[in-house]
Amino acid sequence: MLRRSLTRAASRASRPPIRPKSLNKGAFSVGASKPFPKLNNLRFSAQTGARFYNNTAAGVPKGVSTLYDGSRETENCGVGLIASLKTVASRRVIEQADEMLVRMSHRGGCGCDPNSGDGAGIMVGMPDSFMRNYAQSTWGVDLGPDKSYCVGNIFVGKEKGEEGLKLSKDLLEGFVKRSGLSVVGWRTVPTDNTMLGKDPLDSEPYIEQIFIANDGGRKKKQPMDQKLFERELMRIRKLSEDEAEAQALTGFYINSLTPQTITYKGQLTPEQVSEYFLDLRDPSFESHFALVHSRFSTNTFPSWERAQPIRMMCHNGEINTLRGNKNWMYSRGGIMCSPHFGDDTAQLLPATSDNMSDSGNFDSVLELLTKASNRSLPESVMMMIPEAWQDNTNLSESKKDFYEYNSNIMEPWDGPAMVAFTDGRYIGATLDRNGLRPSRYYVTKDDHVMLSSEIGVVPELKDEDVKIKYRLEPGKMFLVDFETARIIPDDEIKEQVATQRPYGEWLKNKSVDLENWSKEAGTKRSKFDFNTTNRRLNMFGYSSETMEMLLLPMSIGGKEALGSMGNDAALAVLSTQPRGVTDYFKQLFAQVTNPPIDPIREELVMSLVCPVGPEGNMLEDPSDVHCDRLVVRQPVLTLEEMRTLKNRVFRRDGKAVFSTAVIDCTFPIKSGAQGLTEALDRICDEASLALQGDLGVNGVQGIILSDKLAGPDRIPIPSLLSVGAVHQHLLSTKQRPKGAIFAESGDAREVHDFATLFGFGCDGVCPYVAYEALCKMNSDGLVAAKAKQEYSDDDMIAAYRKSASKGLLKVMSKMGISTLQSYKGAQVFEAVGLSEEIVDRCFTGTTTRIQGTDFDALFSDLERFHQSAYPENVNETNIMVQNYGQFHYRDGKEAHLNTPESMVNLQIASRTNSREAYKTFAKLTNAQTQKVALRGQLKFKIDPTKKIPLDEVEPVENIVKRFVTGAMSLGSISQEAHETLAVAMNGLGGRSNTGEGGEDPLRFEDDRRSSIKQVASGRFGVTSNYLANSDQIQIKMAQGAKPGEGGELPGFKVSEYIGYNRGTTPGVGLISPPPHHDIYSIEDLAQLIHDLKNAQPTGEVSVKLVSEVGIGVIAAGVAKAVADHIVVSGHDGGTGAAAWTGVKGCGLPWELGLAETQQTLVLNNLRDRVKLQTDGQLKTGRDVVIAALLGAEEFGFATAPLVAMGCIMMRKCHLNTCPVGIATQDEELRKKFNGQPEHVMNYFWLLAEDIREIMSELGIRDFQDLVGQTDLLEVNKAVQHYKSKNLDLTPLLTSASELNPDADFVNTSTQDHGLDKALDNDLIAQAMPALENRGEKVTIETSITNLNRTAGTMLSYEVSKRYGVEGLPEEDSIHIKMNGHGGQSMGFTLAKGIFMDLEGDANDYTGKGLSGGKIAVYPKQSIIEADDFDASQNVIVGNACLYGATSGKFFARGKGGERFAVRNSGALAVVEGLGDHGAEYMTGGRLICLGETGRNFAAGMSGGIAYIYDPEKKFPERCNMGLVDLVEVGEGLHGEEERFSGSESELLKTYVQEHVGHTQSAAGKSLLENWDEEVKNFVKVYPSDFARVLNEKAASRDGGEAVA
């Protein structure tokens, strides 16, 4: 052990906050005539690196405890820019930017008041003539040369009235004057607030402009050069805002303070921006560029200052790694020194703040990089949002070197992002590596550029005036350089930046690769002593289940084991069994506001490689110093790598480059909880001292936290505690960038353990006991017995590490995080049932809302683990590995909600309608609930005087109508089980849910019809007819069993019937992707809601969410997106198969999610708009009544109805071996199904009677009167124990009436979906002859704009309701000829018989869900004839077109965007170029691409065929070969095409001919002119499973054998 430090670093939560020394400095180093006024005390949170502000949530009454957390507010947006390449200022730029902003209003949000926007704004290049004229006419002042003055836009809060305004002005003037600049004067910005709603009007600030001259100040010194002027203005702004905060001048905010730009923004709707700011209406207000932004906030507490644009950028997206980014930026403050500010650099810090949004923090760091260092704006953006460079064969080596080099300086700010930016010289935009934000741009013939989230936003622009139509591609940059008056191509600017310095040479000479170092060192691992292994396993909390169900599959299969039927085991804080610390943490996951990633099919954007160890000064000029770091390629370290780190020093030229110090992480067994906390203090001090070094001794570059000294007398500190405590300590002392943290860990063994360790700051972990356990199982013969083959220890360890890596990528991907470097320290977890004393010390900033286990209780569990390893009077050879029953019910061990006895009684009750059996079931289940779930810690407040007779309570017949069955798909369960549930619910008047597998149209007309039709990311069976035959359409954002993940249905479950209903090929496995293609943000979810409402105008649209922290603000966003219904699912339900990491480690109890959702919706005055439903192991009347009291109006059930039908919880749903015929497609096993609708109905009748009895006791007559009445609940102290006694459930029970007494807390109104404004109303009227007379044809001519969203969908609904899946008889029974710009989702679920014929271009989602209709999109002929406009090289449709198409035809003369034809299962598409991820997850249909594709084509493609024109042979490296083969176009035909009489070549030719016929494609004509030769340039993309099944069918039909 290192010697104890004499003084502790002032870092722990109990100590005073650290204050940057620079704030006590008196003067600027440039132009200062006298010291600055001393700043008042400004508090800082050292742990988060953020200014410390009042954490009271906006809108929450003081003193009221609530689950709502305003810091969880998120936002998505519409972004646009317009610029003159020649820097010609004009009125046109302002007016078109305003039009662009207004025409993206649907991408913004508004709250309960339509006149209260979420925020909108415009940033313009300084309107020079306007400002000069004002200064001259008002003060008689000539502002001097261009850019020698600045006009800043300032907000000042009105709380202190005119006095506060004067104080704020004086404060800012003081800083300006002391900087050597002059204040010319102040101007009150003219505004008109008559159109504002109550919320923005109540918070409206004073808005003032300050004019600052760069004239040398009062002493008439030499004016500053341009860059120095801008830097000083940045310093003035930062110090002014700090001082205003210190003086409690609330609402003081500087929107812009630069000579280059000025920003007008506020809590406005897009339409209000130019109405409110009168400057923008002034004819003399001109500029050469404008940047606009429309904000969609997830709650209705947006603010004026959070509107965008910010200082240098505006942002559409979300930074998923924000907590880690902020922590790292704060800690880097200890080594940061600007070449321009020197010792005063700290005046600019911290750069990040908890009081800013993710966009605000990004903007602040971007500004710091560009103004406090010598980096250009493009270079800084490349550094913060790097491309996916690690495995990108399309990148030059110089660019790869640049990105790798900069990864040594800063982790990526990871998350879906389209960032538009400017510093006055440059204006541009960049897209994140995943490309999940739309961005289209035009270049006009008069040298203007227009970029926005949609096309068609400047309707006055004629197509004939456009010379380029394109899109921003994933990872690419669009850049205008005003100095050179041109657009700089992405490759040019990045190559220019990347070749400025010899980055590759520096990396080669300086980087240290751990894997290579270990191999070169020849380190060997020690032999294991298996005689004592079982002691170690018990001491570190292993169990026999861990070994057999987790470690063994990981080591022989290379992937995690699957489980099913959810997680019904006790929460860690409620468990009476000892539990590890990681069990208290639940992984956060992406839903609604940002998307998860598919870590398998889109692996190319993900990486685990991390540089670790000492960082350099990020503000200094690049040099090889930054490369002196250790590269860790796989963070789960081998034993050899750990020995190398412990025992070797890497030297270069005789100098130590990387060395480590080992710190003992154990404590004496007799020292109790105090010994644990003292040990944490010790290891933090030792870590600081080790990095710092001593007199004459350099510090080390890495710390190894090791628990190997644990034994009979010493208890190991949980590695997560050790890592978390040291990481937080080093962050607070700003030492974290000085060294790496490694863990030599005995307790880390499963993926969730690794995820938490890395998420809380670990750089590498060696799970040495897990390796020992694997090798012991191998030695004992267990591996060979399980796998039926021999494995070496090395093979097992390699497979285990590979499995851990895959699992880690999946955990990262669920949060939408691509790189481990960004995930590290991001703290994307919630602690459930862990006390603040632990969280504040070891996991600072992590959410823990209900308290719970403290250090005393934690020590008790550690002591029990230790006692099981070293029991008294037990011989070593008799030590058995414990089995705690975590995964399967085991009598006397871990409590589970579903017990054999309770299930038996439920089945008796269901089959015999026995109230006695039901009561026994309910009693047993309620008793288990006390041991397992949060609701078990509550009890009803019963007042005997209020009891009412049972016959006065609402009848059973009404209550059962509130019940729904879970979304179990046809495919995951059998046809018999699926239909039984539907018949039962229809008999009750409740609702059943199709799940995501579609539904047989024959069921639409009888009692087998499911009222709720689910729409999930797989879009299986989703057609116009399917949606039209629903009462409610449910959007599945997440699934309780595996939130943030997709899923798979193996081929053996895809029978003929399942394939028919899903529109896929029987026998071919199906992939359900994570929800990110058209529901990756709140504004896109709003679009899908709009789509589905158009598809079924008379039904509800529901959004299914899964409980997690922040679900309240997400639900508020969903309500603002005009959903009618919201489902809050708990973490413990779900029949779907998932890796155990997802089942056990992700999602929260529904009690937390439901209560937070209810409270947040009430606070935001949104609760009246929506119905609330919850689900997750609901079983008894008590469960339902508690859910109602917490806010639910409807209730979902899955496990209980399955048990009622005969389920015996074998948890083999994913294996197709269900012995009772429920979760299987095996024909023999299905015969064993004996469930009846009456069994399900009996259960629900009995449940409703149970509910009525409780209502009688509570004195409640009508069920609706239960909803939201939390005052009828209280904590049941009698059921609490040593861990749960410290739970604080007060936030759960806060009454809605306390939060917002005037708000409704049940659903009382309906949403306005705006369908009366739809273009389809006119289309339906004109198409009526064809609708009423099926054989008649109609031609309609109309214009279309981007505001006409979802065109053709309500018309398709009319077709489907009349004629079902058959549609209309001719492809063009209704021929709609359009010109203009198609809005989002044009042709969504377009029905058979409708032909949408568009001359123009279209936005995202065109043809999504195509259901037999036909779409053609082509440019105006006048463009093509006007000059050399090549349609095939320009983008004509947006992203995710044809997503989920099931049938029909699509022709586009031009390029498509990203994710074209994702999950196409039957449509024919011809297009002339594609972006990344084309044909992803495709299962049927035909795709012909006459131009180049992007990367990752055919990822997850299991069916259908694609033909790619590839004369330059570039395609193979762009194709994901995981499931497909590339072959030549042959003679044979496939499937239905066998009816075609010609060859495959001739069939392909007919597709191209049809394309030419509809679009007049020049590219198509050129191919047809020389077809016999050109067809040889086509590559056929042929899924191997699809080919196998077709081959088998052909062989079966012909009576022969399939050909391999």
Side-chain angles (χ1 to χ4, degrees), residues 299-514:
N299 64 21
T300 56
F301 301 129
S303 61
W304 283 75
E305 64 272 15
R306 286 205 174 194
Q308 297 186 37
I310 314 180
R311 277 82 185 224
M312 297 190 73
M313 52 76 77
C314 54
H315 173 214
N316 178 12
E318 185 169 354
I319 306 299
N320 298 328
T321 54
L322 184 62
R323 172 60 61 189
N325 294 130
K326 291 196 295 185
N327 280 346
W328 288 110
M329 281 303 301
Y330 173 80
S331 193
R332 290 181 184 120
I335 58 173
M336 213 181 289
C337 182
S338 165
H340 306 293
F341 292 93
D343 289 344
D344 290 338
T345 300
Q347 291 176 338
L348 311 176
L349 304 176
T352 55
S353 166
D354 282 344
N355 202 40
M356 294 189 291
S357 66
D358 59 340
S359 305
N361 280 287
F362 183 98
D363 177 85
S364 180
V365 175
L366 180 63
E367 182 185 40
L368 184 72
L369 286 173
T370 54
K371 294 182 179 178
S373 79
N374 290 316
R375 291 180 176 85
S376 67
L377 179 57
E379 181 178 357
S380 299
V381 172
M382 289 170 65
M383 183 176 171
M384 294 183 73
I385 310 178
E387 295 179 74
W389 55 270
Q390 282 91 344
D391 298 308
N392 191 341
T393 57
N394 296 321
L395 281 185
S396 66
E397 287 303 316
S398 56
K399 281 195 275 188
K400 287 183 180 180
D401 292 339
F402 169 83
Y403 287 125
E404 183 176 358
Y405 172 84
N406 279 283
S407 72
N408 287 290
I409 300 172
M410 178 186 282
E411 71 291 341
W413 288 60
D414 202 358
M418 194 285 267
V419 173
F421 53 82
T422 185
D423 62 357
R425 174 184 172 176
Y426 298 106
I427 188 168
T430 193
L431 200 58
D432 71 282
R433 61 178 60 199
N434 296 301
L436 284 170
R437 286 293 184 272
S439 186
R440 304 273 290 277
Y441 65 86
Y442 287 178
V443 182
T444 67
K445 293 174 182 176
D446 65 349
D447 294 319
H448 281 70
V449 296
M450 301 177 182
L451 178 146
S452 62
S453 300
E454 297 183 20
I455 49 97
V457 290
V458 183
E460 68 206 51
L461 177 66
K462 296 178 180 179
D463 275 358
E464 291 81 358
D465 296 330
V466 178
K467 64 180 180 181
I468 296 174
K469 295 185 174 186
Y470 215 73
R471 75 187 192 283
L472 192 53
E473 300 174 60
K476 303 297 184 184
M477 183 181 294
F478 172 85
L479 191 72
V480 173
D481 184 348
F482 289 123
E483 287 191 4
T484 60
R486 70 189 186 98
I487 299 171
I488 305 180
D490 175 83
D491 278 344
E492 180 182 334
I493 184 60
K494 289 182 177 176
E495 201 64 39
Q496 178 184 325
V497 169
T499 54
Q500 287 177 342
R501 292 177 174 85
Y503 296 115
E505 182 182 336
W506 290 345
L507 289 165
K508 181 180 178 182
N509 294 336
K510 291 286 190 175
S511 290
V512 182
D513 187 290
L514 175 59

Side-chain angles (χ1 to χ4, degrees), residues 454-708:
E454 297 183 20
I455 49 97
V457 290
V458 183
E460 68 206 51
L461 177 66
K462 296 178 180 179
D463 275 358
E464 291 81 358
D465 296 330
V466 178
K467 64 180 180 181
I468 296 174
K469 295 185 174 186
Y470 215 73
R471 75 187 192 283
L472 192 53
E473 300 174 60
K476 303 297 184 184
M477 183 181 294
F478 172 85
L479 191 72
V480 173
D481 184 348
F482 289 123
E483 287 191 4
T484 60
R486 70 189 186 98
I487 299 171
I488 305 180
D490 175 83
D491 278 344
E492 180 182 334
I493 184 60
K494 289 182 177 176
E495 201 64 39
Q496 178 184 325
V497 169
T499 54
Q500 287 177 342
R501 292 177 174 85
Y503 296 115
E505 182 182 336
W506 290 345
L507 289 165
K508 181 180 178 182
N509 294 336
K510 291 286 190 175
S511 290
V512 182
D513 187 290
L514 175 59
E515 185 178 329
N516 292 338
W517 177 23
S518 180
K519 288 178 180 176
E520 291 169 3
T523 312
K524 303 295 182 184
R525 66 170 181 258
S526 302
K527 290 186 177 181
F528 298 113
D529 178 9
F530 293 141
N531 291 325
T532 57
T533 296
N534 285 1
R535 286 193 187 275
R536 278 185 289 280
L537 294 175
N538 284 346
M539 180 168 58
F540 286 109
Y542 284 67
S543 72
S544 57
E545 283 185 319
T546 304
M547 308 273 282
E548 295 166 15
M549 297 182 65
L550 299 181
L551 297 190
L552 200 55
M554 290 172 73
S555 63
I556 61 178
K559 60 183 180 180
E560 294 180 85
L562 299 179
S564 53
M565 290 303 291
N567 174 27
D568 66 345
L571 291 170
V573 69
L574 301 181
S575 174
T576 57
Q577 301 295 314
R579 299 285 285 271
V581 176
T582 60
D583 285 357
Y584 289 89
F585 289 91
K586 297 293 185 178
Q587 304 155 19
L588 302 186
F589 53 92
Q591 60 178 345
V592 177
T593 57
N594 62 308
I597 304 168
D598 186 332
I600 301 172
R601 267 67 61 171
E602 298 185 7
E603 187 179 10
L604 78 167
V605 301
M606 306 197 71
S607 174
L608 294 177
V609 180
C610 291
V612 305
E615 295 183 18
N617 170 17
M618 67 183 295
L619 297 180
E620 70 183 5
D621 289 344
S623 70
D624 63 357
V625 171
H626 292 286
C627 299
D628 268 331
R629 303 192 72 192
L630 184 71
V631 177
V632 177
R633 302 200 174 277
Q634 218 281 34
V636 179
L637 308 180
T638 64
L639 292 163
E640 293 84 354
E641 288 170 341
M642 179 51 69
R643 289 198 73 182
T644 300
L645 287 170
K646 290 174 70 174
N647 301 325
R648 302 294 181 101
V649 175
F650 188 90
R651 299 181 183 276
R652 186 187 299 117
D653 301 327
K655 180 183 175 182
V657 174
F658 202 93
S659 61
T660 62
V662 180
I663 297 177
D664 172 39
C665 294
T666 66
F667 64 102
I669 188 170
K670 301 297 185 183
S671 60
Q674 183 177 347
L676 172 58
T677 57
E678 288 177 351
L680 289 173
D681 286 345
R682 170 182 58 79
I683 64 175
C684 288
D685 290 339
E686 291 182 0
S688 279
L689 186 60
L691 293 177
Q692 176 183 322
D694 215 334
L695 291 175
V697 179
N698 291 330
V700 297
Q701 292 73 44
I703 297 160
I704 298 174
L705 304 176
S706 175
D707 54 25
K708 291 201 79 170

Side-chain angles (χ1 to χ4, degrees), residues 1451 1468 1470 1472 1488-1490 1507 1545-1561 1563-1569 1571 1578:
F1451 305 99
L1468 164 67
V1470 185
E1472 299 181 1
I1488 295 88
C1489 182
L1490 306 184
Y1507 299 95
S1545 170
E1546 291 168 328
L1547 179 62
L1548 180 56
K1549 184 178 181 180
T1550 65
Y1551 295 152
V1552 178
Q1553 287 171 333
E1554 191 171 3
H1555 174 65
V1556 171
H1558 286 302
T1559 68
Q1560 299 302 305
S1561 166
K1565 289 177 182 178
S1566 176
L1567 291 172
L1568 293 174
E1569 286 170 0
W1571 181 255
F1578 278 89

Side-chain angles (χ1 to χ4, degrees), residues 1017-1273:
S1017 53
R1019 301 294 153 93
F1020 299 113
V1022 176
T1023 66
S1024 174
N1025 190 40
Y1026 171 82
L1027 298 174
N1029 284 281
S1030 66
D1031 298 327
Q1032 181 187 94
I1033 303 171
Q1034 182 184 89
I1035 301 170
K1036 177 183 174 183
M1037 290 301 309
Q1039 181 175 339
K1042 47 182 176 182
E1045 297 184 40
E1048 294 186 45
L1049 190 68
F1052 56 73
K1053 273 197 166 187
V1054 186
S1055 64
E1056 290 285 341
Y1057 185 70
I1058 300 303
Y1060 163 72
N1061 284 295
R1062 296 194 176 211
T1064 64
T1065 305
V1068 176
L1070 301 176
I1071 299 166
S1072 183
H1076 69 185
H1077 293 97
D1078 68 343
I1079 42 179
Y1080 54 77
S1081 67
I1082 186 65
E1083 78 265 25
D1084 288 276
L1085 175 62
Q1087 178 62 46
L1088 180 58
I1089 291 169
H1090 186 69
D1091 295 342
L1092 297 174
K1093 191 66 177 182
N1094 277 264
Q1096 178 23 319
T1098 64
E1100 295 178 329
V1101 179
S1102 174
V1103 176
K1104 180 180 180 180
L1105 306 173
V1106 171
S1107 179
E1108 70 172 330
V1109 63
I1111 191 176
V1113 290
I1114 291 171
V1118 170
K1120 289 166 66 176
V1122 294
D1124 305 298
H1125 186 276
I1126 297 173
V1127 180
V1128 177
S1129 291
H1131 71 114
D1132 45 5
T1135 55
W1140 281 113
T1141 297
V1143 174
K1144 293 280 190 180
C1146 197
L1148 297 181
W1150 60 257
E1151 297 94 324
L1152 284 171
L1154 176 61
E1156 182 186 343
T1157 298
Q1158 173 77 356
Q1159 291 170 10
T1160 308
L1161 291 175
V1162 169
L1163 271 170
N1164 283 270
N1165 286 305
L1166 294 170
R1167 180 63 179 87
D1168 64 306
R1169 295 190 187 186
V1170 294
K1171 292 178 184 175
L1172 268 187
Q1173 177 185 316
T1174 197
D1175 64 45
Q1177 298 291 347
L1178 297 178
K1179 289 182 168 55
T1180 69
R1182 184 179 186 278
D1183 293 340
V1184 171
V1185 172
I1186 289 176
L1189 296 174
L1190 292 177
E1193 292 153 299
E1194 296 180 358
F1195 312 90
F1197 304 83
T1199 304
L1202 290 181
V1203 172
M1205 290 194 299
C1207 173
I1208 55 175
M1209 293 290 286
M1210 292 292 289
R1211 297 187 186 272
K1212 293 184 177 181
C1213 307
H1214 55 294
L1215 299 177
N1216 207 35
T1217 58
C1218 176
V1220 293
I1222 292 177
T1224 182
Q1225 302 306 321
D1226 183 281
E1227 291 188 8
E1228 292 303 315
L1229 291 175
R1230 283 168 55 193
K1231 293 176 184 176
K1232 297 179 182 293
F1233 178 77
N1234 61 9
Q1236 298 296 323
E1238 292 76 17
H1239 300 161
V1240 177
M1241 295 172 72
N1242 286 340
Y1243 163 65
F1244 281 126
W1245 289 121
L1246 293 166
L1247 173 63
E1249 285 292 357
D1250 188 4
I1251 293 168
R1252 294 181 71 242
E1253 291 174 5
I1254 296 172
M1255 291 172 62
S1256 171
E1257 293 287 333
L1258 292 172
I1260 302 292
R1261 288 176 171 80
D1262 296 325
F1263 191 94
Q1264 189 77 350
D1265 294 335
L1266 282 173
V1267 179
Q1269 301 294 341
T1270 54
D1271 54 322
L1272 294 177
L1273 289 171

Side-chain angles (χ1 to χ4, degrees), residues 103 106 454-457 1345-1349 1381-1384 1403:
R103 294 184 76 87
H106 51 270
E454 297 183 20
I455 49 97
V457 290
T1345 76
N1346 78 303
L1347 300 181
N1348 300 128
R1349 298 181 294 145
H1381 308 284
Q1384 288 180 293
N1403 279 288

Side-chain angles (χ1 to χ4, degrees), residues 1270-1306:
T1270 54
D1271 54 322
L1272 294 177
L1273 289 171
E1274 61 184 341
V1275 175
N1276 184 3
K1277 296 285 187 183
V1279 300
Q1280 296 182 337
H1281 52 71
Y1282 73 105
K1283 283 192 277 194
S1284 59
K1285 66 181 180 182
N1286 293 317
L1287 280 173
D1288 177 11
L1289 299 181
T1290 306
L1292 198 73
L1293 301 180
T1294 298
S1295 171
S1297 60
E1298 289 184 68
L1299 299 174
N1300 192 351
D1302 297 328
D1304 290 326
F1305 45 90
V1306 295

